[in-house]
Amino acid sequence: MPPTPGHTASADRGDSTLHTQAHSELIDLEGRYVVPGFVDMHMHGGAGASYQNGLHDDVRRVVAFHRAHGTTTAMASLVTDAPDALLAAVARLADLADEGLVAGIHLEGPYLATNRCGAHEPSLLKAPDLAEFERLTSSSRGHLRMITLAPELPGALDLIRSAVDQGVIAAVGHTDGTAAHVRAAFEAGARVATHLFNAMRPVHHREGGPVVAALNDPRITVELINDGVHIDTEVARLTFTTAGPDRVALITDAMAATGMGDGDYRLGTMDVRVQDGRAMLADGSSIAGSTITMAEAFRRAVTEVGRPIEEAARAASLTPARALGLDHRIGSLAPGKDADLVVLNDDLTVHQVMKTGQWL
Ligand SMILES: [Zn+2]
């Protein structure tokens, strides 16, 4: 059969090009910047709703809010919760991942260090449990894409190996481990450091801890919450200088309050109070996620941290896409990839967002 116009799959390359040109539209962006759609590999919620507690419509609200701020791909992160609640949340999110609303599920916990628990309920933390992990992966129907755990806990290395075998990215975080613990996790296949510096043993010049182990290993992607609250700007600068934009993944770690203003919220089982945009546990003991968008994290990387726009764009898009194994489809503006892009004004605020070729 000869190629049928309009069916590019059966058309040869020449026809396909003509076909595309016939349907292209020339858009004058009046000198604005265009960057790849942002990829947020660690995020809990926004617009008053969360992935954890929310029903389907709430999750749609979270996704729509962050898409409007340039995040065309987002993971759904879950904090520590009771086993049944976590299983139910994973199953619910698997439906939304089937629809393509979220790129995958990220389990942050429950296998975390109690003394680095941050905003996780300490009484629900436990040692890695392979049988429970199996239940979680099966209820995710293949959508569990990442798990953050503390590598010093008993059984952690076995869980990392099991995760990697099943195509789940292992990340070290909420850890009191030494550099040696973390290096062992990397040898077992862990490839991400969850919000570097936050909720982990700090750097000491005789014990570099997780931070130095991660920065020194070229295989590791380091997440950075570049909100000016979690990380001092100079420390963000040091991280970029050390790891480079191909290993720094800007994340939001955003919770429900993002885009909503000050007030009282929930993060998993924990009560959170937001004041002056800073989310803290209600008892004031820990920072509890952020209230920034990826657009803000990106803008700050340029205006505060001082990185060139191209580098900030890589850290906000290609680097997390690569860490998630999605860079064949997203993460840069290239023929054959999804047309996910953000148009930015001169002050780097979002002007317009396109997701798979459609303006939002
Ligand atoms: Zn988180």
Side-chain angles (χ1 to χ4, degrees):
M1 251 177 76
T4 318
H7 287 84
T8 50
S10 62
D12 68 28
R13 190 177 164 76
D15 285 349
S16 151
T17 308
L18 283 174
H19 173 83
T20 308
Q21 284 173 351
H23 290 80
S24 12
E25 185 189 348
L26 197 60
I27 300 166
D28 184 3
L29 297 173
E30 297 167 341
R32 292 185 176 87
Y33 298 105
V34 180
V35 295
F38 303 133
V39 179
D40 192 351
M41 61 189 286
H42 186 157
M43 190 243 282
H44 299 271
S50 80
Y51 290 130
Q52 192 125 6
N53 311 102
L55 299 173
H56 287 196
D57 284 351
D58 299 301
V59 173
R60 280 177 221 287
R61 201 158 85 237
V62 176
V63 172
F65 169 80
H66 284 284
R67 279 188 183 169
H69 289 83
T71 302
T72 46
T73 302
M75 292 281 280
S77 299
L78 297 173
V79 294
T80 300
D81 209 333
D84 287 350
L86 216 44
L87 271 174
V90 164
R92 211 163 48 234
L93 286 168
D95 292 340
L96 294 152
D98 280 340
E99 284 182 43
L101 278 178
V102 297
I105 302 164
H106 164 216
L107 279 179
E108 193 178 13
Y111 316 127
L112 308 176
T114 43
N115 63 336
R116 302 286 176 195
C117 63
H120 293 252
E121 168 58 52
S123 68
L124 293 173
L125 299 179
K126 56 175 111 171
D129 177 341
L130 274 175
E132 182 185 51
F133 181 63
E134 290 299 329
R135 287 193 291 278
L136 287 161
T137 47
S138 74
S139 81
S140 83
R141 304 197 310 273
H143 292 299
L144 180 61
R145 202 176 270 278
M146 182 156 113
I147 179 163
T148 294
L149 75 169
E152 72 275 20
L153 297 177
L157 298 183
D158 284 341
L159 195 129
I160 289 170
R161 287 185 203 100
S162 165
V164 172
D165 282 350
Q166 298 178 66
V168 178
I169 299 153
V172 296
H174 289 272
T175 168
D176 197 38
T178 61
H181 287 123
V182 172
R183 280 198 297 268
F186 296 158
E187 287 313 309
R191 287 294 176 266
V192 172
T194 295
H195 42 55
L196 195 73
F197 295 102
N198 296 115
M200 56 179 65
R201 178 189 285 260
V203 177
H204 185 281
H205 54 289
R206 281 188 290 274
E207 169 50 63
V211 173
V212 174
L215 288 175
N216 277 345
D217 191 325
R219 300 171 296 182
I220 305 307
T221 301
V222 299
E223 295 182 349
L224 204 64
I225 312 176
N226 187 33
D227 63 351
V229 173
H230 284 75
I231 299 286
D232 179 74
T233 300
E234 288 291 346
V235 176
R237 199 166 291 150
L238 175 76
T239 309
F240 267 97
T241 311
T242 317
D246 291 320
R247 288 182 47 218
V248 177
L250 296 174
I251 60 162
T252 63
D253 202 10
M255 47 82 73
T258 309
M260 295 297 286
D262 291 354
D264 293 330
Y265 299 89
R266 299 274 289 172
L267 179 62
T269 61
M270 309 295 267
D271 291 320
V272 174
R273 173 153 296 170
V274 178
Q275 216 166 3
D276 303 325
R278 182 186 287 244
M280 299 284 292
L281 288 184
D283 65 8
S285 62
S286 171
I287 310 178
S290 92
T291 60
I292 54 162
T293 60
M294 281 297 284
E296 183 69 359
F298 162 82
R299 191 191 60 75
R300 291 189 89 268
V302 179
T303 59
E304 310 302 314
V305 184
R307 306 314 302 185
I309 288 177
E310 297 84 346
E311 275 196 18
R314 279 224 295 286
S317 193
L318 186 56
T319 302
R322 198 184 289 129
L324 295 171
L326 299 174
D327 55 311
H328 59 289
R329 201 163 57 70
I330 56 167
S332 56
L333 303 175
K337 287 195 179 184
D338 290 0
D340 290 356
L341 54 90
V342 185
V343 181
L344 299 163
N345 299 309
D346 275 351
D347 62 358
L348 304 184
T349 53
V350 173
H351 176 70
Q352 246 181 321
V353 180
M354 179 180 277
K355 164 88 179 156
T356 50
Q358 304 290 320
W359 290 114
L360 302 181

